[in-house]
Amino acid sequence: MAISRRDLLKTAAAAGMLGGLPGLARAQVDTPEKPSLTIAVGGQALIYYLPLSVAHLKGYFKEEGLDATIADFAGGSKALQAVVGGSADVVSGAFEHTINLQAKGQFYRCFALQGRAPMIVLGVSKKTMPDYKTPADLKGKKIGVTAPGSSTNMMASFFLAQHGLKPSDVAYIGVGAGAGAVTALRSGQIDAIANLDPVISTLVKEDAIQIIADTRTLQDAHKIFGGNMPAGCLYASQAFIDANPNTTQALANAMVRADKWIQAATPDDIVKLVPKSYLLGDPDLYKLALKGNHEALSPDGLVPEDGPQTALNALAEFVPHFDRTKIDISRVWTNQFAIKAGQKYPHG
């Protein structure tokens, strides 16, 4: 009579023999519990989410036994809504959303970092605000963000708060993270924009904006936020992570490999890999944007130790009546999966 693999494992376990069946034991332990899953993202073409695209395009998810579908939304807040609503399993989004969710009694945790600085740039339109002098000039103006409530919205509000302006002093307009954002600025629909590359580099090349705040470098991000500010990451509900630890590890493995591949790749390598639509019609401009954001992309998927507290401080400034005393910051992040991924792929 044929013995099934499951029966063999049961028999081996009962006899204390799994140590003698390392291949079978490892297969049992490592197999993803949920091989088919959906990852929600808000603006996949952004360099902010480049590690996600690399992991997908290089086949790293498949090599980890995952059939990952990527659902692209106009902004991070929309991606968040998808996972909370149940139409996605995991989010590729801004780290601070995990904190905001906990404030609402929902527990989500970051388990693989994509960016160690926000990469968001705030610029004013030279068309509608040619005489801009100080942040106070933004009062009563329209600021384009990827989506209301997204990290671009938070960065702009945090910057304005440092200069005495409240969120209600401006109007935030959702313009997405691609060609539509560029068009909105060009056409005068918005007076300023908080966005990421390649959108920002496109507008800079056209001399369409004056940059007034830039978090593409660690130095400027520290200046605006007061410390390391973790940015793009993979996060999921604690319930998902608890029920699917192997799946979570497989996702982290793929993302850490992608982080490391990007560090070793040239701009030409990346341009050849990503879809042409990411380039917004200008490969050379995209290459410049890659160089400008390189420092902000995570080299290893690990969250900086001081990063979660920096994010909490920023969020407390951004969200009205935010009670930081109710937040257990240790529950919104973990490096355990990224550490194991780095051990499995020390060189990417």
Side-chain angles (χ1 to χ4, degrees), residues 54-348:
V54 168
H56 193 240
L57 295 166
K58 294 285 288 182
Y60 294 160
F61 290 128
K62 286 187 177 180
E63 289 180 23
E64 295 296 328
L66 300 173
D67 178 14
T69 298
I70 299 177
D72 198 6
F73 296 87
S77 59
K78 300 292 185 184
L80 180 156
Q81 289 168 15
V83 79
V84 171
S87 62
D89 303 289
V90 179
V91 181
S92 175
F95 179 88
E96 64 268 13
H97 287 312
T98 61
I99 303 172
N100 205 22
L101 283 161
Q102 190 184 126
K104 298 173 182 176
Q106 298 170 309
F107 292 88
Y108 285 72
R109 192 185 291 270
C110 157
F111 59 87
L113 198 67
Q114 297 179 76
R116 55 181 178 167
M119 307 184 214
I120 301 164
V121 174
L122 178 61
V124 298
S125 168
K126 291 188 175 182
K127 179 177 181 177
T128 67
M129 298 187 68
D131 300 320
Y132 173 88
K133 295 291 188 297
T134 72
D137 295 335
L138 285 167
K139 189 169 184 177
K141 301 298 184 180
K142 297 176 181 177
I143 301 179
V145 295
T146 55
S150 293
S151 57
T152 50
N153 192 162
M154 190 190 78
M155 180 271 191
S157 290
F158 193 63
F159 173 80
L160 293 178
Q162 291 178 325
H163 295 85
L165 293 176
K166 303 185 296 294
S168 58
D169 287 333
V170 300
Y172 287 108
I173 310 295
V175 296
V182 174
T183 300
L185 194 288
R186 283 175 183 160
S187 63
Q189 297 173 48
I190 53 177
D191 304 297
I193 187 168
N195 219 294
L196 304 100
D197 276 322
V199 169
I200 291 299
S201 289
T202 300
L203 294 169
V204 168
K205 183 181 180 182
E206 296 176 4
D207 198 28
I209 59 171
Q210 175 187 342
I211 291 177
I212 60 173
D214 191 340
T215 63
R216 291 176 294 186
T217 68
L218 294 179
Q219 180 178 349
D220 285 356
H222 289 178
K223 189 183 299 180
I224 291 173
F225 292 103
N228 284 305
M229 181 69 174
C233 68
L234 281 197
Y235 67 87
S237 69
Q238 189 61 55
F240 177 90
I241 294 172
D242 290 344
N244 305 284
N246 297 344
T247 305
T248 304
Q249 186 63 61
L251 287 163
N253 291 348
M255 294 304 298
V256 169
R257 283 187 76 187
D259 285 341
K260 294 188 175 188
W261 183 86
I262 290 167
Q263 294 298 314
T266 66
D268 283 329
D269 293 333
I270 297 170
V271 166
K272 288 175 184 175
L273 178 68
V274 301
K276 287 186 178 179
S277 60
Y278 284 24
L279 312 180
L280 294 181
D282 194 336
D284 290 334
L285 180 66
Y286 188 81
K287 291 176 192 177
L288 287 174
L290 286 170
K291 292 177 182 177
N293 288 274
H294 189 268
E295 183 183 12
L297 289 163
S298 174
D300 52 19
L302 298 171
V303 177
E305 291 294 327
D306 69 324
Q309 187 62 48
T310 303
L312 173 57
N313 294 342
L315 200 63
E317 293 288 338
F318 173 59
V319 179
H321 314 298
F322 189 91
D323 187 356
R324 68 172 69 205
T325 65
K326 293 183 177 180
I327 301 298
D328 180 354
I329 201 68
S330 68
R331 297 183 68 179
V332 303
W333 69 290
T334 178
N335 275 335
Q336 71 177 88
F337 296 101
I339 289 171
K340 286 185 179 179
Q343 292 168 346
K344 182 175 182 178
Y345 298 108
H347 306 295

